[in-house]
């Protein structure tokens, strides 16, 4: 049995609440005798020997006054978080949320940056999960560099350019530290569904005339995306890239509106207009509604397990195992085949045996 992941998080938002509560829910199910193979919403019960409830939170960073200095257990549920309670008793990890970095602190020589590095070291974190609001490129790079210095694997859940920064990726590779990113592809998100439908048109020989996707939600992510949606839009376009699909006539609006009463639900509208035999029209209109942060947590659990398993055996840089659960992976989707992904998972699953031999 593999050891639990020692996880640090930058940003204590809805995704972290969903991850924290969900891991405890699966732990409870396991204690009640539910087999891992019967866990709902889980494709891979173990990655590198690590189960979905093998998770210990050890440090957290944020700037919101409702969270800084507050015990992590309470901060994960504090407003403006609005992820629903899952009805499980949450453990107290025994630490409070530390003040995170401001843009003025981003320099590696600043006292705040040095404090982050030391906190990562003293907590013995294995993985730093970056889950701050979209649009903070400086923050994504700063936290990645703090993780690199502390020899902690870094997972970027946001569309900011981190794993797609060649110089930084090379530094992680040389140091033997995993760098997983960028931008998670939600469990059953708009981009996943949109990509599949566009691919289907191409596979069946229809011509794409135009397409769009609109996303609405009521959590802080959607509020933020109204002003800071540029990097998210590009990442969503990246996620649609595949052989035979021209995305030049595809429009994506990450936050078509912030609708407070939706809370943590996301509603997405998809339209695809195509041309079939003799130029006759084909039209698809689809509505998707999901619990937004559950949709993220179901993928985050794989990303952090990939990062932790890779770190435990010294695999630095990016792992192809993460390609299918990212919108904008290092190198882009077309750079990896299904065989690359399968081989990466085989290598990570060998971690169990490697750890047992130690």
């Amino acid at each position: 049995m593999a050891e639990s992941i020692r996880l640090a998080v930058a940003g204590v938002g809805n995704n972290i609440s969903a991850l924290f509560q969900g891991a405890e829910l699966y732990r409870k199910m396991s204690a009640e005798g539910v087999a891992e193979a019967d866990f709902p919403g889980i494709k891979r019960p173990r990655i590198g020997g690590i189960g979905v409830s093998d998770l210990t939170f050890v440090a957290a960073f944020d700037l919101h006054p409702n969270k800084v200095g507050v015990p992590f257990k309470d901060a994960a549920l504090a407003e403006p978080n609005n992820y629903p309670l899952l009805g499980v008793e949450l453990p107290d990890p025994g630490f409070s949320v530390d003040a995170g970095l401001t843009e003025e602190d981003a320099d590696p020589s600043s006292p705040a940056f040095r404090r982050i590095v030391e906190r990562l070291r003293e907590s013995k974190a294995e993985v730093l999960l970056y889950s701050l609001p979209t649009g903070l490129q400086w923050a994504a790079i700063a936290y990645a560099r703090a993780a690199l210095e502390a020899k902690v694997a870094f997972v970027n859940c946001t569309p900011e350019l981190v794993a797609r920064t060649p110089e930084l990726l090379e530094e992680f590779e040389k140091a033997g530290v995993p760098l997983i990113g960028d931008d998670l592809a939600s469990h059953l998100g708009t981009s996943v569904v949109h990509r599949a439908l566009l691919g289907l048109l191409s596979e069946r020989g229809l011509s794409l005339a135009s397409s769009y996707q609109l996303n609405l939600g009521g959590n802080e992510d959607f509020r933020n995306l109204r002003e800071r949606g540029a990097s998210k839009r590009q990442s969503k376009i990246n996620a649609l890239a595949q052989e035979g699909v021209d995305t030049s006539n595809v429009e994506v609006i990450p936050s078509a509106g912030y609708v407070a009463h939706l809370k943590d639900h996301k509603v997405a509208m998809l339209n695809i207009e195509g041309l079939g035999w003799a130029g006759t029209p084909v039209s698809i209109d689809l509505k998707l509604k999901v619990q937004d942060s559950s949709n993220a947590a179901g993928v985050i659990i794989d990303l952090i397990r990939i990062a932790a398993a890779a770190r435990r055996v010294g695999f630095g840089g990016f792992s192809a195992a993460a390609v299918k659960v990212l919108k904008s992976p290092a190198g882009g989707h077309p750079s990896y085949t299904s065989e690359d992904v399968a081989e990466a998972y085989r290598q990570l699953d060998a971690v169990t045996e490697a750890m047992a031999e130690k």
Side-chain angles (χ1 to χ4, degrees):
M1 188 69 68
E3 294 181 4
S4 290
I5 300 170
R6 296 182 64 82
L7 180 67
V9 297
V12 188
N14 269 359
N15 289 353
I16 303 307
S17 179
L19 183 66
F20 184 34
Q21 293 189 64
E24 290 307 312
L25 180 63
Y26 287 116
R27 195 189 315 277
K28 179 184 177 186
M29 291 174 65
S30 181
E32 292 172 348
V34 179
E36 288 183 334
D38 295 328
F39 285 175
I42 301 297
K43 180 178 181 179
R44 296 179 180 274
R46 293 195 170 266
I47 295 176
I50 306 169
V52 295
S53 59
D54 293 337
L55 189 57
T56 301
F57 288 84
V58 297
F61 311 100
D62 207 298
L63 288 175
H64 198 284
N66 288 359
K67 298 171 184 178
V68 176
V70 175
F72 175 79
K73 175 183 175 180
D74 299 324
L77 307 179
E79 293 183 349
N81 290 6
N82 56 12
Y83 182 77
L85 299 177
L86 297 183
V88 291
E89 185 175 348
L90 297 174
D92 183 358
F95 67 89
S96 295
V97 177
D98 289 303
L101 295 173
T102 65
E103 191 165 3
E104 292 72 26
D105 299 325
D107 189 281
S109 64
S110 75
F113 186 95
R114 305 314 313 162
R115 174 176 52 79
I116 299 291
V117 173
E118 289 309 308
R119 183 73 181 96
L120 290 172
R121 285 173 174 161
E122 70 180 18
S123 70
K124 299 181 180 178
E126 294 180 275
V127 178
L128 173 58
L129 174 66
Y130 179 80
S131 189
L132 286 172
T134 296
L136 304 177
Q137 180 66 39
W138 63 266
I141 294 296
Y143 278 103
R145 290 209 167 276
L148 177 61
E149 186 170 340
K151 305 294 185 185
V152 172
F154 189 77
V155 173
N156 178 28
C157 289
T158 76
E160 315 321 325
L161 291 151
V162 181
R164 288 169 291 159
T165 302
E167 299 81 6
L168 190 57
L169 180 60
E170 184 179 359
E171 289 182 52
F172 271 83
E173 289 172 347
K174 287 181 178 179
V177 178
L179 174 59
I180 306 299
D182 298 317
D183 201 8
L184 63 86
S186 297
H187 225 171
L188 188 66
T190 322
S191 297
V192 171
V193 175
H194 201 173
R195 177 185 172 89
L197 290 174
L198 291 176
L200 180 62
L201 255 70
S202 176
E203 179 186 330
R204 304 303 297 169
L206 285 83
S207 301
L208 176 65
S210 65
S211 182
Y212 65 77
Q213 65 164 270
L214 310 176
N215 299 272
L216 307 162
N219 59 28
E220 287 301 292
D221 189 36
F222 278 94
R223 188 199 295 270
N224 173 68
L225 284 172
R226 289 184 302 178
E227 286 79 37
R228 294 174 170 169
S231 61
K232 190 69 171 181
R233 178 187 178 279
Q234 185 57 55
S235 186
K236 280 179 166 286
I237 293 291
N238 294 345
L240 304 179
Q242 54 194 298
E243 186 177 352
V245 175
D246 179 6
T247 59
S248 60
N249 286 332
V250 178
E251 183 55 79
V252 174
I253 302 180
S255 182
Y258 169 74
V259 184
H261 72 257
L262 287 176
K263 297 186 178 180
D264 189 51
H265 287 104
K266 178 172 83 171
V267 176
M269 307 292 184
L270 278 175
N271 168 266
I272 297 175
E273 302 292 338
L275 299 173
W277 173 262
T280 52
V282 175
S283 183
I284 300 173
D285 285 288
L286 181 146
K287 175 182 176 181
L288 174 69
K289 184 176 181 179
V290 296
Q291 188 78 53
D292 193 37
S293 298
S294 284
N295 225 15
V299 169
I300 289 172
I301 192 60
D302 285 359
L303 293 172
I304 60 178
R305 289 188 294 167
I306 289 167
R311 182 180 184 272
R312 290 175 182 183
V313 290
F315 295 161
F318 183 74
S319 171
V323 167
K324 292 190 175 182
V325 285
L326 291 168
K327 286 190 180 76
S328 298
H333 287 281
S335 299
Y336 301 92
T337 66
S338 295
E339 289 74 20
D340 293 331
V341 175
E343 176 58 27
Y345 272 113
R346 281 193 291 270
Q347 291 178 359
L348 294 176
D349 287 338
V351 171
T352 308
E353 182 178 343
M355 296 299 292
E357 292 174 354
K358 288 189 176 182

